[in-house]
């Protein structure tokens, strides 16, 4: 399996090379040269597999340059009861006929990003050891991504994490989750400023090529192909749990920010999974809803990005979207260059009518919701089914129900546990979400972080002396 860049100017590479590289040299995203296909026979065999077996079957299609036995061990060590609360790994909740919740948030940080990042942590450790390298992961977080990355990389050999977060601007829960980690390879840097200050510093460090090389700075952001591949697995899993035979088709509803989660659903469909529709749900930041309605992609800038009560979807630019457009333009390098040039100079692009036809045929529909919709959905799910969902999941269900079709199972992806978003839960049902047991313990632990003004040189100095 070779991976090619969406900008077509970087050399094609194998899985292990693109794993540690991040963005391709030409600024594009690595994507498989061709999507592997699942035969009808394979699909029948997969139906009875447990989660690690299924992960092995699906990931083996994308990863062919790691020894098969080693890959199986990495997967078996990742998807365990200890890590994901039960042997099911991804439980499915049956709400009523043809309506399901796929629970992707049983991992250590209670959000779906653990599904991929927990695997990525082990994969990084393994690949770095093989090549005798080490890596310094540098990131900025407003709360959720940072904790997921830290829990994935804690105690992993050859990896250090420097995570910048805005001091005093995260929820108590998020703060405790990150700052109580005692592992020596985790460095929490609390910035006396905003999330944007954190991001600016990370960007400035990444632009300093010499520093970057010297301290082996990398990222675990959502453009990493290994993350997408690991997410493809639970679409297969969800399909088998919501159907009785492989003649049936299902719809998935997916709360979307960076287009990472739903891209994995699109890839599963390309591989031959019988998916009827992929329902893309956004919040007030509805750039992608606009795109699927009229073929215009116009990312928001600065003040146009709303701070909402489903904050992990407050994204101006959907990074992984580029991989989807690459397919829509039949991977034509000239057309890609044209579109991304337009994005840079005019701030938007418009697809042509043939391309819009391809978008329509690709099986996506999209919708958005407001704070009021979210609150109403959390309340209604609680009253109707006694199920408490988080605000992101509520966005997904809101749009999912809008596009639901008779006799087709609708699987709504549950992306975080409600305990992470207590304020919105309180507003919706008038009571506190229950804290998971493991997190009651966190409150007693000491916090471990350093704090800085948003001063680039001081932070570089700190990294340089700590590495
Ligand atoms: C990251 C995140 C999302 C959005 O996922 P993308 O892959 O960025 O589309 C949705 N819900 C929650 C809880 C998240 O943490």
């Amino acid at each position: 399996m070779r991976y090619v860049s969406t900008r077509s100017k970087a050399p094609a590479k194998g899985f292990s090379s693109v794993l540690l590289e991040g963005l391709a040299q030409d600024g594009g995203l690595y994507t498989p040269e061709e999507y592997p296909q699942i035969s009808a026979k394979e699909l029948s065999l997969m139906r009875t597999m447990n989660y690690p077996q299924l992960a092995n079957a699906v990931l083996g299609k994308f990863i062919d340059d790691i020894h098969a036995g080693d890959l199986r061990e990495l997967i078996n060590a990742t998807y365990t009861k200890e890590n994901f609360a039960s042997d099911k790994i991804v439980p499915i909740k049956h709400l009523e006929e043809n309506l399901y919740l796929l629970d992707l948030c049983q991992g250590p940080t209670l959000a779906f990003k653990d599904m991929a990042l927990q695997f990525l942590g082990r994969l990084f450790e393994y690949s770095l050891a093989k090549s005798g390298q080490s890596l310094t992961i540098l990131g900025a977080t407003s709360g959720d991504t940072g904790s997921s990355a830290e829990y994935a990389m804690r105690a992993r050999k050859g990896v250090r994490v420097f995570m910048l977060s805005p001091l005093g601007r995260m929820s108590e829960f998020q703060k405790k989750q990150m700052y109580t980690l005692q592992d020596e390879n985790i460095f929490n840097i609390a910035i006396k400023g905003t999330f944007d200050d954190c991001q600016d510093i990370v960007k400035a460090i990444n632009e300093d090529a010499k520093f970057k090389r010297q301290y082996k700075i990398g990222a675990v952001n959502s453009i990493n192909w290994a993350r997408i591949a690991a997410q493809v697995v639970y679409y297969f899993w969800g399909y088998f749990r919501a159907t009785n035979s492989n003649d049936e088709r299902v719809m998935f509803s997916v709360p979307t920010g960076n287009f990472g989660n739903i891209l994995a659903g699109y890839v599963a469909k390309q591989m031959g999974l019988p998916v009827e529709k992929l329902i893309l749900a956004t919040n007030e930041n509805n750039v992608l809803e606009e795109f699927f309605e009229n073929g215009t992609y116009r990312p928001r800038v600065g003040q146009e990005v709303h701070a909402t009560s489903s904050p992990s979807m407050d994204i101006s630019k959907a990074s992984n979207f580029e991989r989807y457009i690459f397919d829509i333009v039949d991977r034509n390098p000239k057309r890609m260059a044209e579109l991304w040039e337009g994005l840079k100079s005019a701030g938007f692009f418009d697809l042509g009518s043939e391309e819009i036809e391809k978008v329509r045929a690709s099986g996506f529909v999209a919708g958005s919701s407001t704070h009021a919709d979210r609150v109403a959905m959390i309340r209604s799910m609680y009253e109707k089914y006694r199920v408490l969902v988080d605000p992101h999941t509520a966005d997904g269900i809101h749009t999912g129900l809008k596009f639901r079709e008779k006799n087709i199972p609708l699987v709504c992806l549950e992306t975080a546990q409600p305990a992470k978003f207590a304020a919105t839960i309180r507003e919706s049902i008038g009571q506190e979400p229950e804290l998971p047991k493991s997190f009651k313990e966190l409150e007693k632990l000491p916090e471990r972080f350093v704090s800085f003004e948003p001063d680039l040189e001081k932070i570089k100095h700190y990294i340089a002396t700590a590495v």
Side-chain angles (χ1 to χ4, degrees), residues 110-113 144-145 222 227 231 254-262 312-313 315 320 390 392-393 415-416 421:
L110 315 184
F112 94 95
K113 292 190 176 68
D144 273 350
T145 327
S222 69
R227 280 182 69 172
Q231 290 170 187
V254 190
T256 304
N258 246 326
F259 206 78
N261 193 350
I262 200 161
S312 301
M313 295 154 70
I315 300 238
N320 272 296
D390 99 291
H392 305 79
T393 306
T415 55
F421 303 96

Side-chain angles (χ1 to χ4, degrees), residues 345-460:
S345 57
F348 75 100
F349 65 66
D350 274 321
L351 292 188
S353 57
E354 270 178 40
E355 290 158 348
I356 290 179
E357 273 317 304
K358 277 208 84 175
V359 168
R360 300 239 184 284
S362 72
F364 281 83
V365 287
S368 64
S369 40
T370 63
H371 176 73
D373 295 329
R374 202 165 298 141
V375 165
M377 185 52 73
I378 293 170
R379 187 180 309 134
S380 122
M381 293 300 286
Y382 190 65
E383 285 171 356
K384 237 172 143 174
Y385 309 109
R386 288 285 136 184
V387 167
L388 197 53
V389 295
D390 99 291
H392 305 79
T393 306
D395 284 329
I397 303 172
H398 174 87
T399 298
L401 291 179
K402 196 171 126 189
F403 290 103
R404 190 179 182 188
E405 282 177 33
K406 221 175 159 232
N407 301 327
I408 299 182
L410 171 63
V411 181
C412 299
L413 272 50
E414 194 175 1
T415 55
Q417 287 194 27
K420 297 194 91 168
F421 303 96
T424 307
I425 301 300
R426 215 179 297 128
E427 182 183 340
S428 309
I429 62 163
Q431 62 193 71
E432 292 290 324
E434 202 182 324
L435 277 183
K437 250 197 263 111
S438 56
F439 284 92
K440 291 185 187 144
E441 298 299 310
L442 284 188
E443 297 199 72
K444 299 176 208 146
L445 293 176
E447 293 183 2
R448 184 171 160 274
F449 64 93
V450 293
S451 130
F452 283 104
E453 299 291 335
D455 179 329
L456 178 62
E457 288 314 314
K458 286 211 174 107
I459 290 158
K460 275 174 144 173

Side-chain angles (χ1 to χ4, degrees), residues 113 139-150 163-179 188-191 193-199 202 258 305-308 310-315 392 420-421:
K113 292 190 176 68
T141 185
S142 54
D144 273 350
T145 327
S147 60
S148 215
E150 290 187 354
M163 192 59 68
L164 278 62
S165 54
L167 183 66
R169 285 173 193 258
M170 295 187 291
S171 75
E172 198 51 31
F173 188 93
Q174 290 171 324
K175 192 183 86 172
K176 277 285 171 197
Q177 207 173 33
M178 289 178 59
Y179 293 179
N188 281 305
I189 305 178
I191 298 293
T194 62
F195 171 60
D196 286 331
D197 292 326
C198 300
Q199 228 170 4
V202 168
N258 246 326
V305 183
H306 305 285
T308 76
S310 42
S312 301
M313 295 154 70
D314 294 348
I315 300 238
H392 305 79
K420 297 194 91 168
F421 303 96

